[in-house]
Amino acid sequence: MSDTATTDTAMSELLTTSPDFVDIGAERTHELDRRHVFHSWSAQASLDPMVITRAEGSHIWDGAGNRLLDFTSQLVFTNLGHQHPRIVAAIQEQAAHLCTVAPQHANAARSEAARLISTHTPGDLDRVFFTNGGADANEHAVRMARLHTGRPKVLSTYRSYHGGTQLAINMTGDPRRWANDQGSTGTVHFFGPFLYRSPFHATTSEEECERALEHLAQVIALEGPSTIAAVVLESIPGTAGIMVPPAGYLSGVRELCDRHGIMLVADEVMSGFGRAGRWFACELDGVVPDLLTFAKGVNSGYVPLGGVAMSEAVAATFADRAYPGGLTYSGHPLACAAAVATIRTMEDDRVVEHAAALGDEVFRPGLEALLEDHAWIGEVRGTGAFWAIELVSDRETREPLAPYGGSSPQMAAIIAGCKRRGMLPFANFNRIHLVPPLTTSADEVREAIAVLGEALAEAAAAS
Ligand code: PLP
């Protein structure tokens, strides 16, 4: 037997017999969680987290053994579904070969991940700075924009989420900002386009586009163009409501930025890597940003990874001048190996094309039919595998079924009804988002839409 074969055998025995593999059962998991784990964005006392014991493809299993269709992709990151064998194998092989190296050294997994990402990012965004997730990607993109332009301010929209670190949460528009808002970090908010709840009293998407651009032009003029380093936009705002911008909006923002020497940062943390039926959602309007941030779908979230792809001009700023920033785990080999496997699988299996077809052929007709049948649905919108259902108590007034920043008994009943029927939806305020893995089948999407219809009917009858 060769040395390599001996090592391989030892490794596979180690993987199957490790005394540290944790299998303590659902009940003990829950008990220890409640005693020792501090959860995100929550008052801790009343939490009752669902234990997930197993997952495969588009399904998860809860602590009681129930199988649920995962139409959350967790936090919209398992773009290739759960336990994809190719990603799991890449992580295992990388772990067996070389678990970790410091960021100053070059590493094959990181180099190849950066090359693959660069083949799909638009325009000349061919250089990648790796981070651990989306918030720090946005932090670094803004730091780069500030140093590149020599200007302090950053503009972002109210209906947005850019992450939980200090600058990212101040750029965020949604209510998670309120308790963290220091108000002095150079972030300025404006209104992006959202025809259903138009801040501009528009009645058509053309009007919404024109007025939203006019509004941004005024904000830029009144803030002082020479003080603005960047406009940071989710190409499609995600958690804030999946508002696909009207045609011409992103390119109009690009034009405004060019006119004033402002960097355009596209936050593609949620909308990127196929979610919108394109590799990146900014492609929908043919826009090349100066900086593009990503995380989540880059490696299906199997190991934490995010990053900033930058233009040649931004990269050139730091050719002879040190970039003042870094992370211990920038471009971690395990995370990058997972990215390589994810991107190659997306290419080989035509996953982005599948997501686009799911959107056009299954989600759109299915959800539009649901809209006909349920008075609580005010609007359905989305693209690819990225859909929102806007729920209202009154279609005329468009009164949300739960207040902005809050929940309601009706929303709780709909979510519970979905779960009871075997489908986990992503819920935010008065919205249900259907955001499954991009590998979900057409039949699974039809099943989820049927479940949502039943849950809506049940909740409406009970209210
Ligand atoms: N940007 C967007 C658009 C996001 O949706 C998120 C997370 O949901 C983030 C940034 C922050 O990413 P992370 O939680 O990995 O820091």
Side-chain angles (χ1 to χ4, degrees):
M1 198 186 273
S2 74
D3 282 356
T4 320
T6 313
T7 314
D8 286 350
T9 311
M11 187 56 65
S12 76
E13 273 167 18
L14 182 73
L15 289 173
T16 50
T17 60
S18 162
D20 295 324
F21 180 73
V22 180
D23 186 9
I24 54 177
E27 216 169 298
R28 179 88 173 132
T29 301
H30 191 274
E31 182 197 326
L32 291 181
D33 179 286
R34 296 319 303 121
R35 203 180 306 161
H36 297 294
V37 178
F38 192 95
H39 283 262
S40 314
W41 304 116
S42 305
Q44 307 294 308
S46 57
L47 287 179
D48 180 19
M50 174 168 71
V51 177
I52 297 182
T53 55
R54 201 184 134 200
E56 195 182 319
S58 300
H59 288 93
I60 54 170
W61 279 258
D62 71 11
N66 299 310
R67 189 176 88 136
L68 292 104
L69 267 176
D70 182 3
F71 266 56
T72 64
S73 296
Q74 298 302 293
L75 280 178
V76 201
F77 59 72
T78 54
N79 282 12
L80 292 191
H82 293 276
Q83 297 301 113
H84 194 291
R86 221 169 137 178
I87 313 177
V88 171
I91 297 168
Q92 287 175 331
E93 281 162 27
Q94 184 65 45
H97 175 68
L98 181 60
C99 271
T100 190
V101 294
Q104 67 268 31
H105 307 302
N107 168 258
R110 189 193 301 139
S111 298
E112 178 63 0
R115 184 191 73 78
L116 282 168
I117 291 164
S118 301
T119 62
H120 294 289
T121 45
D124 65 344
L125 307 186
D126 291 341
R127 194 170 289 255
V128 179
F129 177 67
F130 285 109
T131 62
N132 300 330
D136 44 352
N138 285 324
E139 297 273 346
H140 283 283
V142 170
R143 192 179 302 181
M144 288 173 185
R146 283 177 167 158
L147 290 163
H148 180 74
T149 59
R151 301 173 180 180
K153 281 184 201 161
V154 42
L155 268 49
S156 54
T157 63
Y158 280 106
R159 293 185 190 272
S160 67
Y161 182 67
H162 295 293
T165 53
Q166 199 57 50
L167 170 70
I169 197 62
N170 277 282
M171 288 197 296
T172 291
D174 88 14
R176 283 173 285 188
R177 169 175 49 91
W178 299 346
N180 296 294
D181 200 346
Q182 309 305 319
S184 62
T185 49
T187 56
V188 175
H189 292 94
F190 64 97
F191 290 98
F194 181 17
L195 183 58
Y196 187 72
R197 300 193 182 282
S198 173
F200 313 110
H201 308 287
T203 53
T204 65
S205 66
E206 291 77 18
E207 266 178 12
E208 184 72 359
C209 182
E210 197 184 308
R211 294 178 190 184
L213 287 171
E214 171 58 24
H215 160 71
L216 178 57
Q218 287 193 30
V219 172
I220 290 172
L222 296 182
E223 286 294 334
S226 63
T227 68
I228 302 168
V231 171
V232 181
L233 278 181
E234 291 177 72
S235 301
I236 298 177
T239 310
I242 315 185
M243 293 86 80
V244 181
Y249 180 72
L250 286 179
S251 45
V253 176
R254 172 76 274 181
E255 208 267 315
L256 277 172
C257 287
D258 286 344
R259 199 182 308 158
H260 298 294
I262 296 169
M263 298 284 98
L264 176 59
V265 180
D267 180 341
E268 295 264 3
V269 167
M270 190 179 280
S271 60
F273 286 96
R275 174 61 52 193
R278 297 283 191 285
W279 277 91
F280 294 99
C282 56
E283 291 167 31
L284 289 165
D285 217 27
V287 162
V288 181
D290 299 290
L291 297 126
L292 181 154
T293 56
F294 62 84
K296 299 186 188 266
V298 62
N299 65 0
S300 270
Y302 281 34
V303 184
L305 183 68
V308 185
M310 71 200 82
S311 69
E312 270 177 32
V314 173
T317 295
F318 305 105
D320 300 310
R321 164 185 178 186
Y323 174 63
L327 307 91
T328 295
Y329 302 127
S330 174
H332 194 285
L334 293 184
C336 288
V340 168
T342 298
I343 297 169
R344 287 187 185 157
T345 303
M346 288 174 71
E347 292 172 349
D348 293 348
D349 297 355
R350 299 180 62 77
V351 171
V352 183
E353 292 79 355
H354 176 69
L358 277 185
D360 294 340
E361 295 161 22
V362 191
F363 271 112
R364 185 176 300 285
L367 291 176
E368 281 175 357
L370 211 62
L371 173 74
E372 296 295 310
D373 291 347
H374 296 276
W376 273 356
I377 304 183
E379 184 180 61
V380 298
R381 53 178 182 262
T383 179
F386 203 24
W387 288 83
I389 295 102
E390 178 99 17
L391 296 167
V392 293
S393 55
D394 183 328
R395 275 191 179 174
E396 288 300 308
T397 63
R398 303 186 175 182
E399 182 67 26
L401 200 59
Y404 185 68
S407 190
S408 67
Q410 294 94 326
M411 287 301 297
I414 296 165
I415 298 159
C418 287
K419 284 194 200 167
R420 216 180 320 110
R421 290 173 174 80
M423 192 271 282
L424 186 67
F426 184 104
N428 192 240
F429 314 153
N430 68 316
R431 282 173 276 107
I432 297 286
H433 291 189
L434 297 183
V435 284
L438 314 183
T439 45
T440 300
S441 71
D443 281 345
E444 287 169 335
V445 172
R446 287 188 197 100
E447 184 186 334
I449 293 174
V451 163
L452 177 59
E454 287 169 25
L456 277 167
E458 180 186 64
S463 84

